[in-house]
Amino acid sequence: RLHDFLMLDIPAIDTVELTQIIYPTLDSFQLEDIASSLGYDLLNAHDALADAKATVYVFKELFKKVTKLPLVTLEKLEKLSSSTTHETFLFFREALSYARNFKAPLAEDLVVVNQLAMKNPEHLTVHETQSEKTSYPFSKEEKEKYLPSDYSFREVQAEMMDLIYNYLNADLSLEKLAIEVPPGVGKSLGYLFPAAFIATPKKPIVISTYTTVLQNQLIDETLPVLEKMLHRKIKTTLVKSSEHYLSLSVFERWLKQITAEDSEAYLSMRILVRLTETTTGDLSEINAGSHLDLSFWHDIRATKNQYTDDYWKDYDFYERIKATSKDSEIIITN
């Protein structure tokens, strides 16, 4: 209006909201960060033309991903899409039409249970031939053989490893072992390395941490390094308290009563997409932002003594975590 142009009357589709639904685990939903996560380098952020080109790229990538979702998931997304802003629902309507015409088969690692598509637990079960454990390396020379090329031998870390190995390897010890070491020593590897030589599924070792941040650091960073050093897979389970995990029984009941007018519809769309990706059902994987206080967000979580419908018993996330932990060498909890 300021420049005597007519008001736009074309549909408005919110790509940020679409990204929050289709990529629910992203840490940031700023255009520059979204584009970067999808492989686009936005060099001149906040420049109108550069932002427009980046938005087109993001829009196309969003459409590619959503049309590859299982048809049952896309149908539910389209049904709930009226809850989105402006005319964003048109995106899901078009995506569903495209997917129905394309008729792609269900991905091999997915399964549909009572009209909910999710990762197939049976597909996740990998039967591996475990290599024999070697003897613990006490000397500096023996330890150095395990170290990656970008790691240097640290005397204090090696001393810590030996202390922990001897303590854990003792038949019976009434003593407690407390170790304090300076920063930069590599404490995580200092206790996980000796633990890996002793832990077995019959006698697992539990690593209890103070924060979930450290839990994730051990799983995502330290353990892959350790497995590379030992040239074998270490059976590890990350166990959190039950309320971290989605209850499929409760979520399914919610879905049956939610309409597009409900505030829970938007979050349900994000969970539906995440179900096709997650192997843990950990709701903290979803960047819920300001929706963390919604009662729905708390109601759909598992409880220790929750009722689980029979057809969900083999798929329930919390039960699967507990079952997996029984066959683990190392259990990480808090």
Side-chain angles (χ1 to χ4, degrees), residues 136 157-170 177 179 187-196 198 205 207:
Y136 177 76
Q157 185 188 56
E159 183 183 357
M160 177 182 175
M161 289 175 175
D162 292 346
L163 280 169
I164 290 175
Y165 178 82
N166 290 327
Y167 178 78
L168 294 176
N169 201 40
L177 177 63
I179 299 176
K187 293 184 286 294
S188 299
L189 201 59
Y191 59 75
L192 280 175
F193 183 78
I198 295 174
I205 288 177
I207 309 293

Side-chain angles (χ1 to χ4, degrees), residues 94-137:
E94 179 64 25
L96 178 59
S97 176
Y98 176 91
R100 280 174 171 164
N101 289 329
F102 188 65
K103 296 180 181 178
L106 186 69
E108 291 183 0
D109 61 340
L110 298 179
V111 64
V112 176
V113 182
N114 220 32
Q115 296 302 299
L116 277 182
M118 58 186 295
K119 286 288 186 184
N120 188 345
E122 294 182 1
H123 190 85
L124 299 174
T125 304
V126 179
H127 301 285
E128 297 178 344
T129 302
Q130 292 290 320
S131 56
E132 290 294 322
K133 290 186 179 181
T134 55
S135 299
Y136 177 76

Side-chain angles (χ1 to χ4, degrees), residues 200-236:
T200 67
K202 289 185 178 180
K203 294 183 69 176
I205 288 177
V206 176
I207 309 293
S208 179
T209 73
Y210 185 64
T211 67
T212 54
V213 172
L214 182 54
Q215 285 183 335
N216 293 329
Q217 179 184 320
L218 293 176
I219 291 288
D220 299 332
E221 299 175 21
T222 310
L223 275 161
V225 171
L226 182 58
E227 290 177 340
K228 187 176 180 180
M229 291 170 62
L230 300 178
H231 302 290
R232 72 177 185 89
K233 188 72 176 174
I234 300 171
K235 292 183 177 180
T236 307

Side-chain angles (χ1 to χ4, degrees), residues 6-201:
L6 295 175
M7 291 291 289
L8 288 174
D9 59 358
I10 59 175
I13 293 178
D14 190 336
T15 51
V16 171
E17 191 172 41
L18 283 178
T19 307
Q20 291 170 338
I21 293 169
I22 299 169
Y23 287 93
T25 63
L26 289 185
D27 293 327
S28 168
F29 296 104
Q30 297 290 328
L31 176 60
E32 187 175 3
D33 296 325
I34 293 172
S36 177
S37 70
L38 297 179
Y40 185 93
D41 194 4
L42 178 54
L43 298 176
N44 300 310
H46 308 299
D47 173 86
L49 183 57
D51 284 359
K53 289 180 177 179
T55 302
V56 170
Y57 176 87
V58 167
F59 185 85
K60 289 180 177 179
E61 291 300 308
L62 292 172
F63 194 80
K64 283 180 188 177
K65 181 180 177 181
V66 81
T67 52
K68 291 178 181 177
L69 291 172
L71 197 57
V72 290
T73 300
L74 196 44
E75 286 173 343
K76 286 182 172 59
L77 292 176
E78 193 275 335
K79 183 179 178 181
L80 296 173
S81 64
S82 296
S83 63
T84 57
T85 55
H86 307 297
E87 289 78 34
T88 304
F89 69 90
L90 293 174
F91 175 92
F92 292 99
R93 183 180 297 176
E94 179 64 25
L96 178 59
S97 176
Y98 176 91
R100 280 174 171 164
N101 289 329
F102 188 65
K103 296 180 181 178
L106 186 69
E108 291 183 0
D109 61 340
L110 298 179
V111 64
V112 176
V113 182
N114 220 32
Q115 296 302 299
L116 277 182
M118 58 186 295
K119 286 288 186 184
N120 188 345
E122 294 182 1
H123 190 85
L124 299 174
T125 304
V126 179
H127 301 285
E128 297 178 344
T129 302
Q130 292 290 320
S131 56
E132 290 294 322
K133 290 186 179 181
T134 55
S135 299
Y136 177 76
F138 281 100
S139 70
K140 175 182 177 181
E141 292 73 22
E142 289 175 324
K143 286 186 177 71
E144 286 181 325
K145 292 178 182 178
Y146 286 92
L147 295 177
S149 58
D150 55 342
Y151 274 64
S152 58
F153 180 83
R154 304 172 188 176
E155 195 69 48
V156 177
Q157 185 188 56
E159 183 183 357
M160 177 182 175
M161 289 175 175
D162 292 346
L163 280 169
I164 290 175
Y165 178 82
N166 290 327
Y167 178 78
L168 294 176
N169 201 40
D171 292 335
L172 176 65
S173 176
L174 299 178
E175 299 295 326
K176 301 293 188 292
L177 177 63
I179 299 176
E180 182 179 6
V181 293
V185 166
K187 293 184 286 294
S188 299
L189 201 59
Y191 59 75
L192 280 175
F193 183 78
F197 284 86
I198 295 174
T200 67

Side-chain angles (χ1 to χ4, degrees), residues 267-285:
L267 270 178
S268 295
M269 294 175 75
R270 303 185 73 188
I271 294 170
L272 284 166
V273 173
R274 187 59 189 154
L275 269 177
T276 66
E277 303 166 338
T278 184
T279 60
T280 65
D282 187 343
L283 286 171
S284 64
E285 296 169 348

